[in-house]
Amino acid sequence: MASDLNRRRSYSLLVLIIVMLYGHKADSKCDFEAVFNFGDSNSDTGGFWAAFPAQSGPWGMTYFKKPAGRASDGRLIIDFLAKSLGMPFLSPYLQSIGSDFRHGANFATLASTVLLPNTSLFVSGISPFSLAIQLNQMKQFKVNVDESHSLDRPGLKILPSKNVFGKSLYTFYIGQNDFTSNLASIGVERVKQYLPQVIGQIAGTIKEIYGIGGRTFLVLNLAPVGCYPAILTGYTHTVSDLDLFGCLIPVNKAVKYYNALLKKTLSETRTELRNATVIYLDTHKILLDLFQHPKSYGMKHGIKACCGYGGRPYNFDQKLFCGNTKVIGNFSATAKACRDPHNYVSWDGIHATEAANHHISTAILDGSISYPPFILNKVCPP
């Protein structure tokens, strides 16, 4: 009788251990509990439009079926990464209604720069939320989380745990506006002069976040903007400046200079920060291939925008951006979206389509563009 009782107790204990182990495995599917993103329109999930509400038109038509604060027809790279980690889309830090920060926050805003802007949004279109401001927002976010937990405030239901900052992924997709905003006015060579300062600011931001507990950083490099319809129509050039694929050679050479310096600087940062993982992501490689060989990815159009005005070859007019209506000559014209954005690399001449973002995200997840090797699919299996 006693032996039967002991066997039942042993069996019950074994079942309990198995349940606990499987439960722990389910809760520990991913090493990361949150994502904190810093960036511009390439990764803004609604921050800019939360601060300056006005987005309308065909934006978001593919996935959200309405404008969703994203500069695309659908999801961005950061959206696909969040999904792969088993998390919801990142709430913009500036969005006061409907936000949930339990799995991180997005500090990115459209038109943001790394360097502090020396002009106003209403003069040049550059966002006031530069990387330094985004970093300050991150620091204040941490202060609020720490205080809320220590005082047991009601806001805890939308905030992460107090120790989340060392278990988070910190992503950076910023620098494009520093490169392009002055390109037409001062030229490639003068833009190149301040690019080391841009990269130094990114590295400095990583170090500051490391100081408050951050340990894993993913930095996306600069896209081949010399293939962007907005640059092709806005930067003075001759036919000899174009490569076989129709992209601007001098602009893309400067991009390669920037990316090489970024990679070198991140390598130095990696050796300086003990126990930190600092990853350089060569998203440029995939996006350039998309522009040059769209058919290899099941797409049709490389350097032609889906949403724009003007038709071939770029479907982009500097005077009429996606979704806008304006009188040009004697006629009212509207920059309309195509019906098949999945066949385009460029959404509006400045940003990528959801289809292009999905291809780039796949390369990030499988580690094929990571230096050093970092396979996010293995760290956080789907």
Side-chain angles (χ1 to χ4, degrees), residues 36 138 141-142 145 162-168 170 212-214:
F36 294 98
M138 171 71 209
F141 181 84
K142 186 178 186 304
V145 169
K162 189 175 181 180
N163 61 353
V164 73
F165 301 101
K167 302 175 182 179
S168 297
Y170 297 84
I212 60 174

Side-chain angles (χ1 to χ4, degrees), residues 78-156:
I78 192 65
D79 292 320
F80 287 110
L81 294 185
K83 180 182 178 183
S84 74
L85 300 177
M87 300 177 188
F89 296 144
L90 289 187
S91 292
Y93 176 76
L94 296 173
Q95 181 176 286
S96 58
I97 300 174
S99 288
D100 186 339
F101 300 115
R102 287 176 295 177
H103 296 286
N106 193 353
F107 302 98
T109 64
L110 180 148
S112 286
T113 52
V114 172
L115 302 179
L116 286 170
N118 56 6
T119 181
S120 164
L121 169 71
F122 304 103
V123 174
S124 64
I126 295 297
S127 169
F129 302 106
S130 65
L131 183 57
I133 301 300
Q134 294 180 26
L135 173 62
N136 285 340
Q137 291 172 337
M138 171 71 209
K139 290 178 177 178
Q140 185 59 40
F141 181 84
K142 186 178 186 304
V143 169
N144 288 336
V145 169
D146 291 344
E147 288 183 351
S148 293
H149 281 282
S150 63
L151 300 174
D152 195 22
R153 290 176 176 171
L156 285 175

Side-chain angles (χ1 to χ4, degrees), residues 291-324:
F291 277 118
Q292 293 178 343
H293 308 287
K295 292 182 180 179
S296 298
Y297 295 85
M299 305 167 84
K300 295 180 180 178
H301 307 286
I303 58 173
K304 181 181 179 182
C306 164
C307 186
Y309 175 79
R312 296 182 179 179
Y314 308 124
N315 194 38
F316 185 88
D317 191 310
Q318 293 286 341
K319 300 185 294 294
L320 189 59
F321 292 101
C322 175
N324 291 345

Side-chain angles (χ1 to χ4, degrees), residues 1-11:
M1 182 75 177
S3 60
D4 288 341
L5 181 60
N6 288 335
R7 277 197 297 270
R8 284 198 294 271
R9 286 176 176 173
S10 299
Y11 178 77

Side-chain angles (χ1 to χ4, degrees), residues 7 38 43 92 118 163 198 228 274 302-303 318 324 374 378:
R7 277 197 297 270
F38 305 83
S43 60
N118 56 6
N163 61 353
V198 172
Y228 282 23
R274 294 183 58 188
I303 58 173
Q318 293 286 341
N324 291 345
F374 185 78
K378 286 189 176 180

